[in-house]
Amino acid sequence: MRLTALDESAEAFGLSVGQGLAEAKAICVALEVIEADPAADRAFLEAIADWCDRYTPLVALDGEDGLFLDITGCTHLFGGEERLLADLTHRLTGFGLAVSVAVAATPGLARACSRFGGPGRVAPEDSERALAPLPIAALRLAPEILANLARVGLKRAGDLMAAARAPITRRFGPTPMRRLDQALGREGEPISPRRLLPLLSAERRLAEPIVSEEHVLDLAARLAAGLKTALEARGEGGRLFELLVFRVDGRVFRIEVGASAPLRDPARIRALFTERLAVLADELDAGFGYELLRLNVLISETFQEQQAGLSEEAEMAGEHLTRFLDKVSARLGDKALRLPVALASHWPDRASGFQPLSEEARLKASAPAPVPTASPSAAPLAKSVEPPARGARPLRLLARPEQVEVMSSVPDGPPASFRWRRVQRRITRAEGPERLAPEWWIDGEEAPPRDYFRIEDTAGQRFWLFRQGLYERRTVTPTWFLQGFFS
């Protein structure tokens, strides 16, 4: 057991990270020890990163206890870099956190200054002067490289800056000089944000916190109205919207809603968030209120302009389905409505599947209408191809085939009776077999085929059974399964 983190009081006793727990308790008898929880620490860092979205959408994680914020083009919203830095430090300190913040022209230099005691704000022309006195560990080098550099007397970043590049690269590899170039801006180093950047975004900072859900929805509608002009300029409509609600104490709520068709109307966007908030009412705790709201468009598509009808009924005729789909999806989720679709497989277990109904409705709505021919005689000739013949399929299939016990008069013949779920059933009529070869590209070349039988018992119930495997090869005793039921 070793120490992984310390507070200021523990550091005052001379304890250090990596020290054994027994030794630490011998130095400080009243030491309070809490078991480390890396998952909780990560979740807490993620929550702080969400909160930092108020300053810039480009937020990236830096190890286990740091964040990168690319504030390029955002500083004017806060009155400049100094005010942004002061606001960020003041708010995080108010949450009870000990923070060290630095602003520089490159991520590497900002990280070095914040973690190793450099200046809090470095102008681009002062990069070398700010980096030179810092320890060489500020360049994010591996421990073995740091040890090798220390052996030859390179302990500060300035020592590496004054050394010849060729001998350093030949002896220690390209990493030390590349890290130095990245810190000084000679080589680019873009940060990778945690989340994809929204296509469009609008936000509202509030002078006084709000707690009412109705106020949140009204502000969401106003933000949507502000995005409508930008969407019209792009000729697009939003398919996926995200509402970020920043609480006063730092908690951030992300609420996403999707639309079955490209959407611009602020009233309909508000209605989607109304349905979503009706489900999240218990989870969305206002606390002391919300101070910032932001509406993002995450996914957009081309918006098909339509001529308005002469009556309201004609104008709304084509929107009833999409409104219903959007309302149900916002309240119950995208998987609440699903549509069965045929798949490219002759194996009954893989011949069909489900997809969200809203996606199917969107595809149908966006499909071009067929062009009618001038006359039957003008229609082009086409040769019809008959699909391969196959037996009838049952209306209902089991989620998974269930094994049954079968008695047959001859090994390869149809079943005479079978036992399923502790009930013995006698067969009066049977049709088959219909042999289906396995899909060797999925199941392998040694997968056994299936022989399907349509049977009817003495009670008039009809079943779909199959025998997996053949008597003459591959398997000694084939296995029988029940696949589905006929009407």
Side-chain angles (χ1 to χ4, degrees):
M1 302 290 290
R2 295 187 176 275
L3 304 182
T4 59
L6 302 170
D7 62 2
E8 296 179 355
S9 300
E11 291 177 349
F13 275 92
L15 305 181
S16 60
V17 175
Q19 190 174 19
L21 179 59
E23 181 183 356
K25 286 188 174 181
I27 298 175
C28 179
V29 180
L31 182 65
E32 182 180 356
V33 180
I34 301 175
E35 185 175 356
D37 189 350
D41 295 340
R42 183 74 174 188
F44 183 65
L45 185 63
E46 293 274 359
I48 299 177
D50 285 339
W51 178 84
C52 287
D53 281 348
R54 65 189 299 119
Y55 298 102
T56 172
L58 292 172
V59 181
L61 301 181
D62 177 31
E64 300 178 355
D65 57 354
L67 295 174
F68 279 126
L69 277 70
D70 188 349
I71 59 175
T72 304
C74 303
T75 56
H76 67 282
L77 300 175
F78 301 88
E81 290 182 358
E82 293 184 359
R83 290 191 176 184
L84 187 150
L85 195 64
D87 183 76
L88 174 65
T89 305
H90 174 73
R91 289 176 180 270
L92 290 178
T93 305
F95 295 152
L97 302 175
V99 296
S100 178
V101 186
V103 176
T106 63
L109 182 57
R111 183 185 187 279
C113 293
S114 64
R115 291 179 179 269
F116 293 90
R121 185 168 177 265
V122 182
E125 61 272 11
D126 298 332
S127 298
E128 293 187 6
R129 189 182 306 109
L131 183 62
L134 301 181
I136 202 169
L139 297 178
R140 295 172 290 169
L141 299 175
E144 56 272 14
I145 297 179
L146 294 175
N148 294 333
L149 291 173
R151 291 192 185 98
V152 298
L154 300 177
K155 299 181 180 180
R156 302 270 176 192
D159 300 336
L160 188 61
M161 294 165 59
R165 298 180 64 93
I168 295 295
T169 303
R170 184 170 56 253
R171 184 169 182 178
F172 303 103
T175 304
M177 301 309 296
R178 184 177 70 250
R179 288 298 191 187
L180 179 63
D181 292 341
Q182 289 175 345
L184 297 178
R186 301 168 184 169
E187 183 177 339
E189 185 189 5
I191 66 174
S192 300
R194 305 166 50 245
R195 300 179 182 275
L196 295 177
L197 293 180
L199 302 176
L200 296 172
S201 180
E203 70 176 34
R204 177 69 61 88
R205 298 178 183 273
L206 305 176
E208 295 291 336
I210 60 174
V211 297
S212 171
E213 180 180 313
E214 192 66 23
H215 290 165
V216 172
L217 294 173
D218 289 341
L219 287 176
R222 294 183 183 181
L223 294 176
L227 292 176
K228 182 179 180 179
T229 303
L231 288 172
E232 290 176 346
R234 297 165 63 103
E236 297 177 343
R239 284 292 310 278
L240 182 62
F241 299 89
E242 179 187 46
L243 180 64
L244 276 70
V245 185
F246 295 78
R247 207 166 62 181
V248 174
D249 60 353
R251 179 77 182 275
V252 181
F253 298 96
R254 295 180 179 269
I255 308 169
E256 290 187 2
V257 294
S260 59
L263 195 60
R264 293 177 184 169
D265 185 13
R268 290 190 58 184
I269 297 175
R270 184 188 190 279
L272 293 180
F273 282 109
T274 301
E275 297 294 336
R276 190 59 183 162
L277 290 179
V279 181
L280 302 176
D282 296 336
E283 303 178 11
L284 201 65
D285 183 13
F288 292 102
Y290 308 115
E291 61 177 350
L292 173 64
L293 275 78
R294 179 182 298 159
L295 181 63
N296 297 329
V297 179
L298 301 182
I299 299 177
S300 65
E301 291 183 2
T302 303
F303 188 87
Q304 300 292 338
E305 300 287 352
Q306 297 181 357
Q307 179 67 36
L310 297 178
S311 64
E312 183 177 357
E313 294 182 359
E315 187 175 356
M316 295 292 296
E319 297 185 2
H320 290 312
L321 177 59
T322 57
R323 286 178 180 271
F324 170 76
L325 297 177
D326 294 344
K327 182 176 181 180
V328 174
S329 299
R331 181 176 286 268
L332 303 179
D334 294 336
K335 298 182 180 179
L337 298 175
R338 298 186 300 168
L339 186 70
V341 293
L343 303 178
S345 175
H346 68 274
W347 210 244
D349 303 354
R350 309 186 186 109
S352 62
F354 291 91
Q355 72 177 20
L357 181 60
S358 58
E359 183 69 14
E360 176 68 14
R362 183 188 68 83
L363 293 176
K364 289 183 178 180
S366 60
V371 179
T373 57
S375 63
S377 60
L381 298 178
K383 182 180 179 180
S384 61
V385 179
E386 293 293 336
R390 70 173 188 178
R393 296 293 185 257
L395 295 178
R396 178 188 174 192
L397 293 179
L398 295 174
R400 293 181 180 178
E402 298 185 11
Q403 187 172 353
V404 296
E405 300 176 6
V406 172
M407 296 293 295
S408 301
S409 56
V410 293
D412 290 335
S417 64
F418 72 97
R419 182 180 179 86
W420 175 59
R421 295 185 180 180
R422 300 182 181 181
V423 177
Q424 189 73 25
R425 302 176 185 271
R426 184 171 176 272
I427 306 303
T428 59
R429 291 191 298 175
E431 182 181 0
E434 177 189 355
R435 179 162 297 177
L436 296 182
E439 297 175 339
W440 55 266
W441 56 94
I442 298 177
D443 302 318
E445 297 182 358
E446 300 299 326
R450 292 180 180 179
D451 285 343
Y452 279 86
F453 293 86
R454 294 180 295 278
I455 62 175
E456 182 178 334
D457 64 358
T458 55
Q461 295 180 336
R462 302 176 65 196
F463 304 90
W464 203 35
L465 272 68
F466 69 86
R467 180 179 61 229
Q468 183 169 281
L470 304 176
Y471 283 99
E472 63 270 15
R473 59 188 178 92
R474 296 188 181 182
T475 55
V476 178
T477 305
T479 310
W480 286 83
F481 293 88
L482 173 64
Q483 181 90 48
F485 311 90
F486 292 92
S487 59

